[in-house]
Amino acid sequence: MNRQKFLISEEVESKITDLMNKMTLEEKIGQLNQAGPSLVGGFDVPFGIALGMMLDGKMSKEEFEEKMSNAKEEFREDEVRAGRIGSFLGASGAEKINRIQKIAVEESRLGIPLIMGYDTIHGQRTVFPIPLAESCTWDKKLFKESGRIAATEAAANGIHWVFAPMIDIARDARWGRIAESPGEDTYLASVYAKAKIEGFQGEDLSASDSVIACPKHFVAYGGAQGGRDYNTVDISYQTLHEVYLPPFKTAVEAGAGSIMPAFNDIGGVPCTVNKYLLDDVLRKEYGFKGFTVSDANAIAECVNHGVAADKSEAAEKALKAGIDMDMNSNSYIENLELLLQKESISMDQIDESVRRILRLKYAKGLFDNPYISNENIEKETILRKEYVDKAREIAKKSIVLLKNNGVLPINKESKIALVGELANNAGEMLGTWSLDGKEEDCVTILEGLKAVSKNVKFEKCCSVEGEVDVIKAKEVTNDADVIIAVVGELKTMSGEAASRSDITLPGKQEELLKILVETGKPVIAVLINGRPLAIPWVAENVHAVVEAWQLGIQAGNAIADVLFGDYNPSGKLTTTFPATTGQCPAYYNHPTTGRPGGNFKFTSRYLDAPLEPVYCFGHGLSYTTYEYSNLRIENLNDKIKVSVNIKNTGDMAGEETVQLYIRDIVASRIRPIKELKAFEKVWLEAGESKEVILNVKINELGFYDEKLNYIVENGEFKLWVGSNSKEGLEGSFTI
Ligand code: GLC
């Protein structure tokens, strides 16, 4: 069911028509103009430059924060009064937003309310695990719940619209924004997209705890060549439609009120000015009724792309392609009036974009309730106990047990040596894009362990980028029964503009692990990172490896829950862990090639690296074991019904994610060796058996032909049902 229709009502359409009949051209163009609060004072360079300098270590955090404390957010109030600004991004706080909204509503000629957008990517103040971590829960109920909580807190902060969910398929671990993504698989990302949008938008967009969602980045941003952010994307239109577009189609069907195009190009045309994507696909094929907002400064950057001679031509192309709102580049406000006078654009084109934006302002209820009525709502909402509890639940379920030779779970009486900078660094638990997150809200790993055990000794021994203190390492581990080494990346090493050309452990952390393993004591590596890492030595030599990502405010407690066995880990990887950076992009649903890799020389392989990844998509161990049996396949004409029995053959209850993969054996186009088509989570007490049924609709078995027609071809298919993308019970069917 396509929920876009909920954005349209005849009554509202006539109100919009009445209002637009009163608007001047400048006021109309003002609705298409989104500004960011500028920071005045404090900085002798633009804020963005200062931020970049701090993130790159060219300005100390203390100096940056000192400048920030002297800076003042300035909302260009005269332009708001004049109706030249219709929206702001980057402002959070009920009192602040009410103040600027009051100017728009009570001091501008027509009183059109502002719509306030914000990057609430994985929680607002209750910071959840980064999206790549949360996706490892494979739990659509949790995806929705964390979206609902994020919406409630963001709305309490005065925010109407969030630039989320980010649903870029990410196959290249070098790309820093893989941290923000739901991973490499299209089906899982589509499940994630629908759940997030339902969570953010709720049942009623005008409700005080709902926010408009903005799935991004439309489209294929994760295909950036070299994994280098903002780089060109060169993919076939079939891959575009089979891999990258489906989560956005699902997002539109789920009723998303807005969409943000990506910085990159498709077929040499930047998404920001790509009429094929923004009009033919998004509006005509998908039926999208919301509005589009460019990414930051992206319209102006079409000049850098070389598809516009100047901002005026960029503005003309963007409006004609289907960009309704200009994020922070001033291209529209500076150029549309003259473009109209020159008849380069039409009044209808401007009116269509204005209507789309006003439609969402009405849908959000901003004309009836432009203000946060109760400014205390923030204090009453932010960090509610049930939100913090939910953050702990999601965090522990995001943890992926990659390896365990039996050293886990840890006995609570054991003497523990805890090492690594990231074990005792609260702020690092927040991960990228945690704008309102505060380190004082975070539980460190040291705190989490100490809450359970009295026998924890901590020494940093090694920072992420520094030297190993061998003396300290030997001292702290001397009388330990077990060693926990927390290693990984700083949160600034992933996220936007944070691609890495080498995805091994930074610094000397692997050297630290080697010293620890040489002690002969059990060593557990806990990974804190925003991307898959190439860790073949760690996987081979460390006794247990726990992928803990950046888990948000409850990181320490969640990690302790898993390490001590109070929670049986259930996470499953949603991205492949390559053996070397050179394997990137590495993803499970790849084609075979004419010479599938192997030991024979003349096959698709590397001279200096293995072909296989270290950990595959879907991988994740448990403290118990599961046995799959009795696979049955029924072709019911419109769907394939697959039944399987699964038994918990260990002595600990746990939750398993049963995965169904298919392969189209022979087709008119090359098909992937495997594709995830369904999954179910199942809770099993020790010794318990259950039957799990998974269905795959026949029309989901298709692909796009050379004319971009979606086709389902008859023929034989293989299928696998199991615990990850590498192994499982095998069967076949024919359609
Ligand atoms: C950034 C990001 C986008 C974000 C926007 C506003 O450049 O690409 O994801 O929503 O700007 O901050």
Side-chain angles (χ1 to χ4, degrees), residues 89 119 163 177 216-217 260 263 295-296 327 433 496:
L89 77 145
D119 287 287
F163 304 130
R177 301 197 79 165
K216 67 184 185 182
H217 303 78
M260 182 189 293
F263 287 121
D295 202 334
M327 179 186 281
W433 284 113
E496 185 172 357

Side-chain angles (χ1 to χ4, degrees), residues 610-628:
L611 193 59
E612 287 302 311
V614 170
Y615 298 115
C616 69
F617 176 84
H619 173 71
L621 303 177
S622 169
Y623 292 148
T624 189
T625 48
Y626 300 105
E627 185 183 84
Y628 286 72

Side-chain angles (χ1 to χ4, degrees), residues 233-282:
V233 171
D234 194 1
I235 55 177
S236 72
Y237 277 79
Q238 284 79 7
T239 299
L240 179 70
H241 281 273
E242 286 160 7
V243 174
Y244 294 97
L245 278 171
F248 287 93
K249 184 169 192 281
T250 305
V252 169
E253 288 164 356
S258 67
I259 289 250
M260 182 189 293
F263 287 121
N264 54 282
D265 67 294
I266 292 294
V269 180
C271 296
T272 306
V273 292
N274 195 312
K275 191 164 174 38
Y276 168 72
L277 291 174
L278 296 172
D279 198 37
D280 299 350
V281 173
L282 188 59

Side-chain angles (χ1 to χ4, degrees), residues 125-128 149 153 381-395 441 443 553-555 557:
R125 178 70 187 276
T126 300
V127 178
F128 295 104
I149 292 169
E153 287 193 336
T381 305
I382 299 297
L383 286 175
R384 278 182 188 152
K385 183 182 179 317
E386 66 265 31
Y387 296 174
V388 176
D389 293 347
K390 185 57 71 177
R392 179 169 184 166
E393 178 192 354
I394 295 173
D441 299 335
V443 178
I553 60 171
Q554 282 290 304
N557 287 333

